[in-house]
Amino acid sequence: MNATPVIAIHGGAGTIVRHAMNAEAEARYHAALTDILSAAQRVLADGGSALDAVTEAVRLLEDCPLFNAGHGAVFTAAGTHELDASVMDGATLEAGAISCVTRVKNPVLAARRVLDVSDHVMFTGPGAEAFAAAQGLEFVDPSYFYTEARHQQWLNARGTSGTMLDHDAMTKFAFSNDPRDPIDPIDPDRKFGTVGAVALDANGHLAAATSTGGITNKQAGRVGDAPLIGAGCYANDATCAVSTTGTGEMFIRMLAAYDVSAQMEYRGASLEDASNDVVMMKLPRIEGRGGLVAVDAKGNVVLPFNTEGMYRGFARVGEAPVTAIYR
Amino acid sequence: MNATPVIAIHGGAGTIVRHAMNAEAEARYHAALTDILSAAQRVLADGGSALDAVTEAVRLLEDCPLFNAGHGAVFTAAGTHELDASVMDGATLEAGAISCVTRVKNPVLAARRVLDVSDHVMFTGPGAEAFAAAQGLEFVDPSYFYTEARHQQWLNARGTSGTMLDHDAMTKFAFSNDPRDPIDPIDPDRKFGTVGAVALDANGHLAAATSTGGITNKQAGRVGDAPLIGAGCYANDATCAVSTTGTGEMFIRMLAAYDVSAQMEYRGASLEDASNDVVMMKLPRIEGRGGLVAVDAKGNVVLPFNTEGMYRGFARVGEAPVTAIYR
């Protein structure tokens, strides 16, 4: 008998900022995570595939302005939005990825179409948009990705010398009464804004998906780990499904997502041991900060991170979703 | 005492085509490989780093019109050239990658600059070109990448329904008297045109670099394995350095370059066993065709491929370069 289907998601990792830690802010994040988990849980409960469940979860995370992906994505140095996403099917090892798109409403749906219909795995830039258009995906005006909070953060970042790893101006919105304003209990200057999902379905198949708006005020054209198979996203029925969030460059250099799988396959590590080794040992060696969510074919779920907090949760079919922010 | 420094290179893998197999064509490829190996060998003999040796080898492979990278790159469906490259330093696990550039003369030098000076690992498209320009790298008119043989191949491919994995029109140039025309003993329709290099230096450090013009008549924006760390390029002093060539999508899905390293690290495989497992077992399971060159810290060199031929060679400091085309 197969294990009970389960979905796990993340919405970014980082450091707790005390003055933004209020009950209302936390409740808003818990509610968003719970709603998204519930929707993906229904996909699995209805017999849907892990691939469909992670695609739906990430689509909803993209649509939610609280998270840095899709609507609510951060601004590049050029004042634009560049979005990346990837998805992988553990049953077939097929994968799809999209980077640097600017007008595709849901990058994860474009990545999914690459997986479903293309002989290729990855498209970037205008070629990626042309592929998405040919596939009939929904396009939006770039203003769709605009949120006042992200714009303010970008204006602030422009006054500094470097990029900001996430939304520095967020704290000023912590006590806003406008429900559209992100209120972010995790220190926006120490938060890594990627979203992702992993799932196990009733047939024992695994899948993973990841999406991001990148880092505030980043140089145009920078590609992080989110659209890179093996770095930000990996799935293999024989081992596990993994989606990561963190300082993307270090996750690329460590092949963080695939390394969890490789440790399970080649040294017989458990999902927990392999994930902890990557997040708590290997990544810190090169100052890599962040975390991941992962699931194996037995239904084990892990959500490790080496920061003070990570927006996260999981939901087994037939059980209430569990969400968390801090350690 | 450290092992003798060594460089190994490849210039694409594929199937032998009998009517293009003539002594002059073969001699031209052997001579080009030997010249490039000799130049990289001198870098190592002079105490240069593995990183400098692989960068120089790939720069020369890019400049040589016989190989599909830099000058001599294939055409996209849009009639343009899109170039990708990556480089990784085994001593630091630092990496640099560039994808979809159209006017940077030597993409590997742009990837190297990313490694040397940027906090990021990968840039794509216009953002990558802006980075290269800011770094003072040499730009060329897109016509620089034009070669008559590649253009003819593209014109032929446009008449077909799909992409061509490499230069189908090459055979018609097999008996050309113009030394600038590629004469390609490996069936151009079954050849995967990436170039790459791996090296071990006198200090025991490893490095890898990879570069490509992609596949003829490919959809604009397609990214193959060449610029993806862990897929087409990987280096780690603790294990090995790897550069791959082949059906890029399968190498991405298998994390082919990193998998060699992971098998050495986690299951104690030798360089030879790990490389053979990836090239002869894992890749064929998903119809992945091609090969790789790899070196470990003991100076072992392997050059496995699952096609009928791969342009390849290696050179230890103090010994004559060895080159080969067929099995």
Side-chain angles (χ1 to χ4, degrees):
Chain A
M1 195 182 118
N2 287 321
T4 303
V6 61
I7 175 90
I9 64 175
H10 69 78
T15 302
I16 297 166
V17 60
R18 292 201 177 279
H19 64 280
M21 268 177 68
N22 66 57
E24 188 193 333
E26 291 182 21
R28 197 174 292 178
Y29 275 87
H30 281 291
L33 292 167
T34 300
D35 287 350
I36 293 165
L37 285 166
S38 300
Q41 194 181 32
R42 280 193 296 275
V43 173
L44 294 170
D46 292 346
S49 69
L51 192 57
D52 283 346
V54 297
T55 305
E56 177 64 2
V58 171
R59 184 186 73 81
L60 292 168
L61 286 158
E62 287 175 344
D63 285 352
C64 178
L66 294 176
F67 304 108
N68 172 27
H71 181 56
V74 298
F75 286 76
T76 68
T80 58
H81 296 88
E82 293 178 344
L83 309 169
D84 305 329
S86 60
V87 60
M88 187 160 185
D89 181 356
T92 60
L93 300 183
E94 289 180 345
I98 288 285
S99 80
C100 280
V101 294
T102 61
R103 296 187 302 118
V104 177
K105 184 186 179 196
N106 287 108
V108 73
L109 297 183
R112 176 65 188 272
R113 291 302 288 170
V114 176
L115 185 154
D116 284 343
V117 309
S118 175
D119 289 335
H120 300 311
V121 168
M122 187 172 189
F123 288 99
T124 188
E129 304 235 312
F131 171 85
Q135 290 296 318
L137 290 176
E138 185 174 358
F139 275 59
V140 290
D141 186 87
S143 64
Y144 167 78
F145 299 111
Y146 178 98
T147 53
E148 177 53 31
R150 303 293 188 192
H151 189 245
Q152 190 61 48
Q153 166 192 9
W154 173 65
L155 292 175
N156 288 5
R158 290 175 74 191
T160 72
S161 56
T163 58
M164 303 192 125
L165 279 162
D166 207 75
H167 36 109
D168 187 49
M170 284 305 172
T171 50
K172 72 183 294 185
F173 295 94
F175 303 101
S176 161
N177 288 319
D178 185 340
R180 294 167 305 179
D181 282 337
I183 297 178
D184 198 337
I186 293 182
D187 179 0
D189 194 24
R190 298 277 178 184
K191 185 182 148 231
F192 315 113
T194 304
V195 306
V198 294
L200 165 70
D201 66 27
N203 293 314
H205 296 312
L206 300 174
T210 306
S211 180
T212 190
I215 51 181
T216 291
N217 209 35
K218 71 167 184 174
Q219 287 175 262
R222 175 260 185 185
V223 180
D225 62 324
L228 300 184
I229 300 303
C233 177
Y234 185 76
N236 184 339
D237 280 3
T239 51
C240 60
V242 182
S243 174
T244 72
T245 177
T247 47
E249 280 70 13
M250 289 68 175
F251 284 65
I252 297 172
R253 292 162 56 196
M254 281 295 175
L255 282 308
Y258 180 63
D259 199 56
V260 175
S261 173
Q263 293 200 32
M264 293 176 71
E265 180 173 356
Y266 298 132
R267 73 174 183 90
S270 68
L271 179 72
E272 184 174 9
D273 286 348
S275 299
N276 281 339
D277 184 65
V278 169
V279 173
M280 302 305 181
M281 300 294 294
K282 296 189 85 169
L283 282 166
R285 255 178 240 153
I286 56 168
E287 297 177 31
R289 303 194 71 231
L292 58 81
V293 295
V295 59
D296 67 17
K298 298 174 195 157
N300 294 307
V301 172
V302 295
L303 311 93
F305 52 98
N306 62 30
T307 50
E308 290 181 47
M310 179 170 80
Y311 299 111
R312 65 198 186 277
F314 67 96
R316 297 184 192 282
V317 167
E319 299 179 19
V322 176
T323 62
I325 299 177
Y326 313 115
R327 273 192 191 151
Chain B
M1 195 181 118
N2 287 322
T4 303
V6 61
I7 176 91
I9 64 174
H10 68 78
T15 302
I16 298 167
V17 60
R18 292 202 176 278
H19 65 279
M21 266 177 67
N22 65 58
E24 187 193 335
E26 291 183 21
R28 196 174 296 176
Y29 275 87
H30 281 291
L33 292 167
T34 300
D35 287 349
I36 292 165
L37 284 167
S38 299
Q41 197 181 30
R42 281 193 295 276
V43 172
L44 294 170
D46 292 345
S49 68
L51 191 57
D52 282 346
V54 298
T55 305
E56 177 64 2
V58 171
R59 185 186 73 81
L60 292 168
L61 286 159
E62 286 175 345
D63 285 351
C64 178
L66 295 176
F67 303 108
N68 171 27
H71 181 56
V74 299
F75 286 76
T76 68
T80 58
H81 296 88
E82 292 178 344
L83 308 170
D84 305 329
S86 59
V87 60
M88 188 161 183
D89 181 356
T92 60
L93 301 184
E94 289 181 346
I98 288 285
S99 81
C100 280
V101 295
T102 60
R103 297 188 302 119
V104 177
K105 184 186 179 196
N106 287 107
V108 73
L109 298 183
R112 176 65 188 272
R113 293 300 289 169
V114 176
L115 184 154
D116 284 342
V117 309
S118 176
D119 289 335
H120 299 312
V121 167
M122 186 172 190
F123 288 100
T124 188
E129 304 235 310
F131 171 83
Q135 291 295 317
L137 290 175
E138 186 175 358
F139 275 59
V140 291
D141 187 86
S143 64
Y144 166 80
F145 300 110
Y146 178 96
T147 53
E148 176 53 32
R150 303 292 188 192
H151 189 244
Q152 190 61 48
Q153 164 193 9
W154 173 66
L155 292 174
N156 289 5
R158 290 177 73 191
T160 72
S161 54
T163 58
M164 303 192 124
L165 278 164
D166 208 74
H167 36 110
D168 189 48
M170 285 303 172
T171 50
K172 72 183 293 184
F173 296 93
F175 302 101
S176 160
N177 288 319
D178 184 341
R180 294 167 305 180
D181 280 339
I183 296 177
D184 199 337
I186 293 181
D187 179 359
D189 195 22
R190 297 278 181 184
K191 182 180 150 235
F192 315 113
T194 303
V195 306
V198 294
L200 165 70
D201 66 27
N203 292 314
H205 295 312
L206 300 174
T210 306
S211 179
T212 191
I215 51 182
T216 291
N217 208 35
K218 69 167 184 175
Q219 286 176 263
R222 176 259 186 185
V223 180
D225 61 326
L228 300 184
I229 299 302
C233 177
Y234 185 75
N236 184 340
D237 280 3
T239 52
C240 60
V242 183
S243 173
T244 72
T245 177
T247 47
E249 280 70 14
M250 289 68 174
F251 284 64
I252 297 173
R253 292 161 57 196
M254 281 294 175
L255 283 306
Y258 180 64
D259 199 55
V260 176
S261 173
Q263 293 199 31
M264 293 177 71
E265 180 173 356
Y266 298 131
R267 73 174 182 89
S270 67
L271 179 73
E272 184 174 11
D273 286 348
S275 298
N276 281 340
D277 185 66
V278 170
V279 174
M280 302 304 181
M281 299 295 293
K282 296 189 84 168
L283 282 166
R285 257 178 238 153
I286 57 169
E287 297 178 31
R289 303 195 68 234
L292 58 82
V293 294
V295 59
D296 67 16
K298 297 173 196 159
N300 293 307
V301 172
V302 296
L303 310 92
F305 52 98
N306 61 30
T307 50
E308 290 181 49
M310 180 169 79
Y311 299 113
R312 65 198 186 278
F314 67 96
R316 296 184 194 282
V317 167
E319 299 179 18
V322 176
T323 62
I325 299 177
Y326 313 116
R327 274 190 193 156

